[in-house]
Amino acid sequence: MKIPMNPDKKDPVWNMFSKILKLIDSRTFQEELARDNFTSTNKHQLMLKLVLLSIFFQLDLSYVYDQVESREKLRKFLNINDLLSLKQIREIYHRNDESKYLELCLKTLNKMQFNKIRYIKTIILDSTSITLDLKFNGKYLSKQSLLTKAYKRAFSTNNGHYAGFKMTLAIDERTCKPLAILIHPGSPHDTKIFDEILHELKRRRILKKMAINIM
């Protein structure tokens, strides 16, 4: 059973998402939308809020939409006055390739004024699997069949056997600025990645004494 979505800024997860919303509502983001020929910027902002909310909490878009439609508190948190239909939101999302939205976000982040690296006090680190849509349907993949491929075999209780990668991301807790990204083929255990991500943060002179790492 899916729990109701009740935003609470005291909750660290909802607090982090509120920073994403602030970015989407920013003038810088609106300017990038217009510069990249995204028509109806307000509709694209609304669509991205709902799509990212569903991704952030790993929920179906239809369920998130129902929650937003029925909960005034959630609409206020998202800064949504006029809600489009679910069909309209999906149509707007599919007008562009996902890489276009990623490029848009990266351009916006690069133009924002962040604190200097040396002032970062808390770093959040997390890793997640990236599955390749190769239609294996959870079937076993032999090592021999992947010898000539650029990816490796992996396994998880959710995906079964799949081909893919693992992404490890480090961000600044206060600004949500990406600090480092590591990509590993297959799905190595977090304990094997631990030393590598810390070494990368030290190499970039990001990880300082007394800094807090939340993993």
Side-chain angles (χ1 to χ4, degrees), residues 24 30 42 55 70 72 116 122 127 136 157 161 183 214-215:
I24 295 175
Q30 291 176 334
N42 290 336
I55 295 172
S70 61
E72 183 179 354
K116 293 183 179 180
T122 305
S127 59
F136 288 115
T157 53
H161 292 283
I183 303 292
I214 302 174
M215 305 185 183

Side-chain angles (χ1 to χ4, degrees), residues 121-122 208-212:
K121 296 180 180 179
T122 305
K208 305 291 184 179
K209 290 183 178 180
M210 305 303 292
I212 298 173

Side-chain angles (χ1 to χ4, degrees), residues 32-168:
E32 284 300 330
L33 281 168
R35 188 174 289 109
D36 285 0
N37 298 317
F38 283 90
T39 57
S40 305
T41 56
N42 290 336
K43 292 182 179 179
H44 274 90
Q45 285 173 292
L46 189 153
M47 176 274 295
L48 286 170
K49 288 177 182 180
L50 295 188
V51 170
L52 290 176
L53 185 61
S54 67
I55 295 172
F56 200 80
F57 288 94
Q58 297 183 336
L59 295 168
D60 295 334
L61 180 60
S62 57
Y63 175 78
V64 170
Y65 181 86
D66 290 340
Q67 289 287 300
V68 173
E69 187 178 35
S70 61
R71 293 179 175 273
E72 183 179 354
K73 181 180 179 181
L74 186 54
R75 291 197 301 275
K76 185 176 181 180
F77 175 79
L78 296 170
N79 192 24
I80 293 176
N81 296 319
D82 299 317
L83 186 62
L84 301 174
S85 69
L86 181 58
K87 182 179 179 181
Q88 287 176 306
I89 291 171
R90 284 174 169 159
E91 286 176 350
I92 294 171
Y93 176 73
H94 289 294
R95 285 177 190 172
N96 297 279
D97 186 80
E98 291 179 358
S99 59
K100 186 71 173 179
Y101 295 117
L102 177 59
E103 179 185 356
L104 175 67
C105 292
L106 291 176
K107 285 181 180 178
T108 305
L109 286 170
N110 286 334
K111 290 190 176 182
M112 295 186 72
Q113 297 297 320
F114 293 104
N115 281 2
K116 293 183 179 180
I117 293 293
R118 64 176 179 269
Y119 293 132
I120 293 175
K121 296 180 180 179
T122 305
I123 301 172
I124 298 176
L125 300 104
D126 192 22
S127 59
T128 184
S129 298
I130 303 175
T131 61
L132 300 179
D133 188 16
L134 298 178
K135 306 302 181 186
F136 288 115
N137 299 319
K139 294 181 180 179
Y140 177 81
L141 302 173
S142 67
K143 291 184 179 180
Q144 289 77 11
S145 64
L146 298 177
L147 289 177
T148 60
K149 306 296 183 182
Y151 47 85
K152 291 185 178 180
R153 183 186 66 200
F155 176 82
S156 72
T157 53
N158 293 327
N159 301 311
H161 292 283
Y162 69 92
F165 299 85
K166 193 164 193 177
M167 178 183 73
T168 306

